[in-house]
Amino acid sequence: CQFFHCGNPRSTFGHILRVDMDSHRNRVDHCYFTGSKSMSLGQRITGDPEVGTDNRYDHNIFRDIFRYWINGQENIQLGQNPMDLGDRVPRALIERNLFDHAWADPEIISSKSSRNLIRHNLAAHCKRAAFVLRGGQNSRFDGNVVYNCHGGVRVLDSGHEIVNNLFVNNHSYGVNLQTGRAEGRLQIAADETLVAHNTIINCSRGIHGMPPTEDRPHVASRCRIINNLIMGFSGILMDTEALEEQDIRRNLLWMERAAEAGEVGAEAIIEDPLLSGDGIFLRPAENSPVVGVGSPLPEVTHDRLGRVRPHGEAPDIGAEKIGAQEPEVPVVLPPIPSAPLLELGLYRGEMLERQAGQDPMANWQVDASRDDESAMLQDASARVSEELPAELMVQWSWRPAAWESTASLILTGPNDSEWSLSWGGVEDGGRPSSVIELRDGSGDLLARGTDVVYFYRDFDPNRWRGPEEPLDDRWYDFTLLLRQESLYLLLTGTAAGEPVPVMVWNARDTGVDAPISLTIMQEGRGWWRDLTVHSLDYVGDQQPAAPPNLEAREHGGSRIELTWGDPTYNARDYLFEVHRSIRPDFTPTAETIAAWGVGGTGWNDFDVEPQSQYHYAVRARNALGLTSEFVFTAVQSGEGGPLYLLVRASEVHVIESPMELESHPGDKPDFIWAPGAPNSTDAVPEDGRADFAINLTEAGTYRLWGLVLAPDSGTDSFYVAFNDGRYRDWHTGIHPRWSWSPIAEEIDLETGDHVVSFKHRESGTKLAAILLTDDSTWDPAAR
């Protein structure tokens, strides 16, 4: 079976396919789930007398499942109530499934019941998710591969076995042994867990035992961590100091670059494991020091590929037994999928129409006081074009003036064929509707998508204060693709920092034929900007266009501003590389890079001396790594002017774990963050801080900015304090590319030394620099 974009966008907790109580020995196999709006596959476990047993879920594919809300949309869920029903025993078998870019929920698989077997699954590119044994006892997680995900496996409750797994390039951890909540029921600490024969490569925390907090005081205890191969380039390989009564022995650890060993335990081997291969083929060489030196474990009789242990006198350390005989039924996993590419700029062809604020179409109103090129419609319609091709890309931004405001984009072809997309408005009680609807020319509903800007469950009765609640200044950023009689709607909003496909509809011979007319309808008032129509054409293999109109302007003696672009240049399709030199005839090289990964249409240089001549070169780079020709400019810095005091992450004054400085020699910025640490959104964490020292020679009123990478709504905040004062929340906003976010709009500071302190709130948020300025008119986020 194939399930395309199924589910209810207003109920992320529902199941698309459900195995209910008293359902035994069923099999769900070789099914394909993509774009799921609710949980894809779930087994219900309730208080009824008999739980379904011995069900098997295998050889399924879960692909391109994006987050719509903060909870729900799990790919596979085994039970729903770990508090009261976690001890129910379904004995489910989940094996040989592929999870490819399926990160709608933080839990790739959520096991909330006992004695389940999760083995030989492959998860790749699930950037906000990990496998989770959320509750229940005595489940086994065996022979899985987790590659380039948020984490490997997160463990709660007791008696689990985590063996023979391969964890590679996961951003946060390989194995996370969690603490238990104070009330002792909702989440129970990972007690008596066996973590053995895993291979963990380049995860920020190899094995992490969470430290206690006020609301999670119960730490994991009596865990056995044996025969694991752990190698890394940064972070802590064995961060297990918080565990109690643990048995840590006979693990091989190998640290490169900035990695730390942590708690090595007994009989540790500190030696290069001599790994070769890549992805699922990563394995030690035959002469590796892992061969034949492990401690025998009766619980682990095979390796990750089903080969018998031991082969020789003793088992090998890590997930594989080198040289062992292949089993009669081999374990065959698919190759690691390539990372999905949602780069719209690779498909944006010739510009056909553009609505600019300075030159509005009929019925648009322009407010001269606004500098964002937006235009307003009120209870009016606007015809954009009447002669558009059958394949096209339409992009626009929209902001309602009131909750009741609604808008529609209508595509009309010959013979009254029509598609109408509508969004905005309210439901009963004045709550935002938070769904996007697609209807045909007769008004029949074809599809519903999810509003990830003002998403539905953000406004539950306990928090929604009614229609008088003011609107945030949130813009909807839409992209509509019309291709081969199929419609794709992508939306960038607060739930994710990249375009999320919230609706896919196949016309099945009932679509809109060319030539196509495009009309906008607005009920109430709404602001529109950046409306463009392009032909749909793959241009990814073409050299990008060089940034036009490169200019450099001095702003006193401590800032030079570069700008580039024009109305027809799609700067959002590229990242920009900036080079700087004092030589007029310089050749750009890796040594001259001043900034890489710059987004937008400008960049500010604060590494300048007064009254000095600087030469710059800039080029564009697309998502495939193709670059444009360089363009050049030069300018002499001024003197005096506003203060711009930049302090980079590499200049951090004090840093304490779990806050870390991650260094990137070359073309990427260093940054601080808290990899592997649990989020601390309920209270300021006791441990970990990063202090930046600032010396001022003149008292005044200043603004403070932070250069952040915050890709989505789950990774966009720190705690910040000034001069050892009270910590407050700093919500950075979503920044999928390195960009500036205001920390303090106004702060009065005296002359002398000052300290700006940060603690982690959402551990994936990254900070590359802070900037203090007395220029109250300058907004670095404007470009």
Side-chain angles (χ1 to χ4, degrees), residues 94-115:
I94 304 178
E95 65 175 349
R96 308 191 190 211
N97 300 285
L98 171 64
F99 304 90
D100 176 16
H101 210 69
W103 51 270
D105 187 86
E107 303 177 4
I108 299 172
I109 291 177
S110 180
S111 176
K112 300 175 182 176
S113 51
S114 297
R115 297 189 182 278

mmCIF file of all heavy atoms in Angstrom, residues 94-115:
data_model
loop_
_atom_site.group_PDB
_atom_site.id
_atom_site.type_symbol
_atom_site.label_atom_id
_atom_site.label_comp_id
_atom_site.label_asym_id
_atom_site.label_seq_id
_atom_site.Cartn_x
_atom_site.Cartn_y
_atom_site.Cartn_z
ATOM 1 N N ILE A 94 9.578 -4.805 14.968
ATOM 2 C CA ILE A 94 9.732 -3.726 13.986
ATOM 3 C C ILE A 94 11.108 -3.907 13.360
ATOM 4 O O ILE A 94 12.134 -3.710 14.019
ATOM 5 C CB ILE A 94 9.621 -2.341 14.652
ATOM 6 C CG1 ILE A 94 8.287 -2.212 15.397
ATOM 7 C CG2 ILE A 94 9.750 -1.243 13.625
ATOM 8 C CD1 ILE A 94 8.115 -0.906 16.119
ATOM 9 N N GLU A 95 11.144 -4.268 12.079
ATOM 10 C CA GLU A 95 12.435 -4.564 11.472
ATOM 11 C C GLU A 95 12.482 -4.153 9.996
ATOM 12 O O GLU A 95 11.481 -4.131 9.296
ATOM 13 C CB GLU A 95 12.770 -6.048 11.596
ATOM 14 C CG GLU A 95 11.853 -6.981 10.841
ATOM 15 C CD GLU A 95 12.325 -8.431 10.918
ATOM 16 O OE1 GLU A 95 13.455 -8.675 11.379
ATOM 17 O OE2 GLU A 95 11.547 -9.315 10.515
ATOM 18 N N ARG A 96 13.684 -3.783 9.570
ATOM 19 C CA ARG A 96 14.033 -3.548 8.169
ATOM 20 C C ARG A 96 13.159 -2.474 7.521
ATOM 21 O O ARG A 96 12.791 -2.569 6.360
ATOM 22 C CB ARG A 96 13.987 -4.857 7.372
ATOM 23 C CG ARG A 96 14.827 -5.949 8.047
ATOM 24 C CD ARG A 96 15.026 -7.163 7.185
ATOM 25 N NE ARG A 96 15.625 -8.255 7.963
ATOM 26 C CZ ARG A 96 16.433 -9.173 7.481
ATOM 27 N NH1 ARG A 96 16.760 -9.150 6.207
ATOM 28 N NH2 ARG A 96 16.911 -10.130 8.242
ATOM 29 N N ASN A 97 12.857 -1.442 8.310
ATOM 30 C CA ASN A 97 12.164 -0.278 7.779
ATOM 31 C C ASN A 97 13.168 0.823 7.462
ATOM 32 O O ASN A 97 14.245 0.905 8.064
ATOM 33 C CB ASN A 97 11.139 0.238 8.785
ATOM 34 C CG ASN A 97 10.088 -0.790 9.135
ATOM 35 O OD1 ASN A 97 9.192 -1.065 8.353
ATOM 36 N ND2 ASN A 97 10.206 -1.389 10.326
ATOM 37 N N LEU A 98 12.812 1.691 6.538
ATOM 38 C CA LEU A 98 13.640 2.841 6.167
ATOM 39 C C LEU A 98 12.922 4.118 6.574
ATOM 40 O O LEU A 98 11.755 4.327 6.219
ATOM 41 C CB LEU A 98 13.909 2.851 4.660
ATOM 42 C CG LEU A 98 14.583 4.118 4.100
ATOM 43 C CD1 LEU A 98 15.982 4.292 4.677
ATOM 44 C CD2 LEU A 98 14.630 4.074 2.576
ATOM 45 N N PHE A 99 13.627 4.976 7.316
ATOM 46 C CA PHE A 99 13.114 6.280 7.721
ATOM 47 C C PHE A 99 14.030 7.327 7.093
ATOM 48 O O PHE A 99 15.159 7.531 7.547
ATOM 49 C CB PHE A 99 13.100 6.405 9.243
ATOM 50 C CG PHE A 99 12.319 5.318 9.931
ATOM 51 C CD1 PHE A 99 12.944 4.134 10.311
ATOM 52 C CD2 PHE A 99 10.968 5.467 10.180
ATOM 53 C CE1 PHE A 99 12.233 3.127 10.933
ATOM 54 C CE2 PHE A 99 10.244 4.468 10.804
ATOM 55 C CZ PHE A 99 10.881 3.287 11.175
ATOM 56 N N ASP A 100 13.561 7.964 6.049
ATOM 57 C CA ASP A 100 14.371 8.886 5.257
ATOM 58 C C ASP A 100 13.783 10.291 5.357
ATOM 59 O O ASP A 100 12.709 10.560 4.836
ATOM 60 C CB ASP A 100 14.400 8.408 3.796
ATOM 61 C CG ASP A 100 15.138 9.369 2.880
ATOM 62 O OD1 ASP A 100 15.886 10.231 3.381
ATOM 63 O OD2 ASP A 100 14.955 9.266 1.652
ATOM 64 N N HIS A 101 14.487 11.172 6.077
ATOM 65 C CA HIS A 101 14.019 12.549 6.237
ATOM 66 C C HIS A 101 12.603 12.567 6.828
ATOM 67 O O HIS A 101 11.736 13.317 6.406
ATOM 68 C CB HIS A 101 14.050 13.290 4.909
ATOM 69 C CG HIS A 101 14.294 14.772 5.066
ATOM 70 N ND1 HIS A 101 15.484 15.270 5.491
ATOM 71 C CD2 HIS A 101 13.474 15.837 4.872
ATOM 72 C CE1 HIS A 101 15.408 16.598 5.522
ATOM 73 N NE2 HIS A 101 14.201 16.959 5.164
ATOM 74 N N ALA A 102 12.377 11.711 7.806
ATOM 75 C CA ALA A 102 11.056 11.571 8.442
ATOM 76 C C ALA A 102 11.163 12.061 9.882
ATOM 77 O O ALA A 102 11.376 11.269 10.800
ATOM 78 C CB ALA A 102 10.584 10.118 8.378
ATOM 79 N N TRP A 103 11.046 13.377 10.067
ATOM 80 C CA TRP A 103 11.336 13.987 11.367
ATOM 81 C C TRP A 103 10.185 14.856 11.866
ATOM 82 O O TRP A 103 10.396 15.823 12.597
ATOM 83 C CB TRP A 103 12.617 14.817 11.288
ATOM 84 C CG TRP A 103 12.664 15.801 10.157
ATOM 85 C CD1 TRP A 103 13.143 15.580 8.894
ATOM 86 C CD2 TRP A 103 12.229 17.169 10.166
ATOM 87 N NE1 TRP A 103 13.040 16.713 8.120
ATOM 88 C CE2 TRP A 103 12.480 17.709 8.882
ATOM 89 C CE3 TRP A 103 11.660 17.997 11.134
ATOM 90 C CZ2 TRP A 103 12.171 19.029 8.548
ATOM 91 C CZ3 TRP A 103 11.363 19.319 10.792
ATOM 92 C CH2 TRP A 103 11.620 19.816 9.511
ATOM 93 N N ALA A 104 8.961 14.496 11.508
ATOM 94 C CA ALA A 104 7.834 15.325 11.932
ATOM 95 C C ALA A 104 7.682 15.354 13.446
ATOM 96 O O ALA A 104 7.259 16.362 14.020
ATOM 97 C CB ALA A 104 6.542 14.819 11.290
ATOM 98 N N ASP A 105 8.002 14.272 14.119
ATOM 99 C CA ASP A 105 7.971 14.205 15.577
ATOM 100 C C ASP A 105 9.390 13.929 16.072
ATOM 101 O O ASP A 105 10.191 13.331 15.340
ATOM 102 C CB ASP A 105 7.031 13.081 16.040
ATOM 103 C CG ASP A 105 6.834 13.067 17.545
ATOM 104 O OD1 ASP A 105 5.946 13.785 18.026
ATOM 105 O OD2 ASP A 105 7.585 12.350 18.238
ATOM 106 N N PRO A 106 9.720 14.343 17.295
ATOM 107 C CA PRO A 106 11.066 14.031 17.807
ATOM 108 C C PRO A 106 11.345 12.538 17.944
ATOM 109 O O PRO A 106 12.490 12.162 18.152
ATOM 110 C CB PRO A 106 11.077 14.708 19.182
ATOM 111 C CG PRO A 106 10.036 15.773 19.119
ATOM 112 C CD PRO A 106 8.978 15.226 18.213
ATOM 113 N N GLU A 107 10.315 11.681 17.842
ATOM 114 C CA GLU A 107 10.484 10.252 18.032
ATOM 115 C C GLU A 107 10.255 9.527 16.696
ATOM 116 O O GLU A 107 9.129 9.471 16.192
ATOM 117 C CB GLU A 107 9.507 9.747 19.097
ATOM 118 C CG GLU A 107 9.692 10.491 20.422
ATOM 119 C CD GLU A 107 8.702 10.082 21.484
ATOM 120 O OE1 GLU A 107 7.899 9.163 21.232
ATOM 121 O OE2 GLU A 107 8.717 10.692 22.570
ATOM 122 N N ILE A 108 11.320 9.003 16.099
ATOM 123 C CA ILE A 108 11.197 8.255 14.846
ATOM 124 C C ILE A 108 10.275 7.056 15.058
ATOM 125 O O ILE A 108 9.342 6.826 14.301
ATOM 126 C CB ILE A 108 12.584 7.797 14.362
ATOM 127 C CG1 ILE A 108 13.486 9.006 14.092
ATOM 128 C CG2 ILE A 108 12.460 6.931 13.108
ATOM 129 C CD1 ILE A 108 14.931 8.633 13.807
ATOM 130 N N ILE A 109 10.592 6.268 16.077
ATOM 131 C CA ILE A 109 9.691 5.241 16.588
ATOM 132 C C ILE A 109 9.499 5.534 18.066
ATOM 133 O O ILE A 109 10.464 5.813 18.778
ATOM 134 C CB ILE A 109 10.269 3.822 16.412
ATOM 135 C CG1 ILE A 109 10.319 3.429 14.933
ATOM 136 C CG2 ILE A 109 9.442 2.794 17.178
ATOM 137 C CD1 ILE A 109 10.949 2.067 14.690
ATOM 138 N N SER A 110 8.269 5.485 18.536
ATOM 139 C CA SER A 110 7.971 5.724 19.939
ATOM 140 C C SER A 110 7.428 4.433 20.540
ATOM 141 O O SER A 110 6.312 4.017 20.238
ATOM 142 C CB SER A 110 6.939 6.851 20.090
ATOM 143 O OG SER A 110 6.649 7.082 21.445
ATOM 144 N N SER A 111 8.264 3.784 21.374
ATOM 145 C CA SER A 111 7.847 2.546 22.031
ATOM 146 C C SER A 111 7.447 2.870 23.465
ATOM 147 O O SER A 111 8.290 3.268 24.277
ATOM 148 C CB SER A 111 8.979 1.522 22.010
ATOM 149 O OG SER A 111 8.611 0.357 22.717
ATOM 150 N N LYS A 112 6.157 2.697 23.780
ATOM 151 C CA LYS A 112 5.632 3.004 25.112
ATOM 152 C C LYS A 112 5.020 1.746 25.737
ATOM 153 O O LYS A 112 4.030 1.827 26.455
ATOM 154 C CB LYS A 112 4.592 4.116 25.021
ATOM 155 C CG LYS A 112 5.144 5.411 24.438
ATOM 156 C CD LYS A 112 4.072 6.456 24.247
ATOM 157 C CE LYS A 112 4.643 7.712 23.614
ATOM 158 N NZ LYS A 112 3.628 8.732 23.325
ATOM 159 N N SER A 113 5.604 0.613 25.438
ATOM 160 C CA SER A 113 5.117 -0.668 25.939
ATOM 161 C C SER A 113 6.320 -1.592 26.097
ATOM 162 O O SER A 113 7.461 -1.191 25.851
ATOM 163 C CB SER A 113 4.059 -1.245 25.000
ATOM 164 O OG SER A 113 4.532 -1.261 23.656
ATOM 165 N N SER A 114 6.085 -2.830 26.499
ATOM 166 C CA SER A 114 7.171 -3.709 26.931
ATOM 167 C C SER A 114 7.451 -4.846 25.955
ATOM 168 O O SER A 114 6.582 -5.276 25.199
ATOM 169 C CB SER A 114 6.828 -4.299 28.301
ATOM 170 O OG SER A 114 6.729 -3.282 29.284
ATOM 171 N N ARG A 115 8.712 -5.312 26.029
ATOM 172 C CA ARG A 115 9.194 -6.491 25.305
ATOM 173 C C ARG A 115 8.991 -6.397 23.790
ATOM 174 O O ARG A 115 8.628 -7.371 23.119
ATOM 175 C CB ARG A 115 8.561 -7.770 25.858
ATOM 176 C CG ARG A 115 8.939 -8.037 27.310
ATOM 177 C CD ARG A 115 8.494 -9.405 27.785
ATOM 178 N NE ARG A 115 8.846 -9.594 29.190
ATOM 179 C CZ ARG A 115 10.048 -9.970 29.643
ATOM 180 N NH1 ARG A 115 11.027 -10.169 28.780
ATOM 181 N NH2 ARG A 115 10.267 -10.112 30.930
#
